[in-house]
């Protein structure tokens, strides 16, 4: 059987332990996994794309079949260019389902051969999102245990010490 390459797309602003949990699970199912950061975000990101890529690379350093990349434009076009067979997405709670279903079905309409595979993160991360991590941290709350310690440190430098992008 040929190798199965999957793409795990997202904003990853910043990477959370929930993302990492999903990456580890995905890496055990697929032969290769590319974590792909969307570059043309409509939202106002906290971390720049190079910063997010660097953090993802650091977080996935020990997983040999995982690489990190960026993409812009349609996800299906990027997946086709990489000859990926699957898209990986996480579903945490019921509320994720509607948005994820819409995206998966739209992607299937655009690229019928590309399958979306949903995985559930560990139960302890089902409430964790990058958006909430950013919000809680910016308002002075603790995000300990929800992101790697060194991401918390990066958040501190960015939010409270005004670190400028390199
Ligand atoms: O982490 P996010 O922000 O929920 O990820 C959303 C993402 C990047 C997967 C989605 O916005 C996306 O695929 N954007 C690329 C443009 C595209 O293909 N849009 C149509 C999707 S149905």
């Amino acid at each position: 059987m040929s190798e199965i390459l999957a793409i795990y797309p997202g904003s990853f602003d910043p990477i959370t332990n929930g993302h990492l949990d999903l990456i580890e699970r995905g890496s055990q199912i697929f032969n290769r996994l590319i974590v792909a950061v969307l570059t043309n975000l409509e939202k106002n990101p906290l971390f720049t794309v190079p910063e997010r890529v660097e953090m993802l690379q650091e977080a996935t350093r020990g997983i040999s079949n995982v690489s990190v990349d960026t993409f812009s434009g349609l996800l299906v076009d990027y997946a086709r260019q990489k000859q990926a067979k699957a898209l990986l997405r996480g579903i945490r709670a019921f509320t994720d389902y509607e948005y994820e279903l819409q995206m998966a079905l739209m992607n299937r309409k655009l690229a019928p051969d590309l399958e979306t595979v949903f995985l559930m993160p560990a139960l302890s991360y089902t409430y964790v999102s990058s958006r909430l991590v950013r919000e809680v941290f910016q308002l002075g709350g603790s995000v300990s245990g929800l992101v790697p310690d060194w991401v918390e440190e990066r958040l501190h430098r960015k939010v409270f010490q005004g670190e400028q992008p390199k």
Side-chain angles (χ1 to χ4, degrees), residues 8-13 19 36-38 40-41 43 71-77 87-89 92 99-100 102-108 110 130:
Y8 179 27
S11 326
F12 305 104
D13 185 30
H19 291 132
V37 183
L38 177 67
N40 51 337
L41 261 190
K43 325 167 208 175
F71 77 103
S72 57
L74 275 182
L75 175 59
V76 291
D77 288 341
L87 301 174
L88 172 63
R89 291 287 289 175
R92 291 162 300 193
Y99 170 61
E100 294 297 334
Q102 276 184 345
M103 278 208 300
L105 292 180
M106 179 61 84
N107 283 332
R108 178 178 282 167
L110 297 170
S130 296

Side-chain angles (χ1 to χ4, degrees), residues 6 15-16 41 44 47 53 56 60 66 71 89 147 159-160:
I15 183 168
T16 67
L41 261 190
N44 198 6
F47 288 98
V53 166
L56 282 163
T60 59
V66 173
F71 77 103
R89 291 287 289 175
V147 298
V159 173
F160 297 121

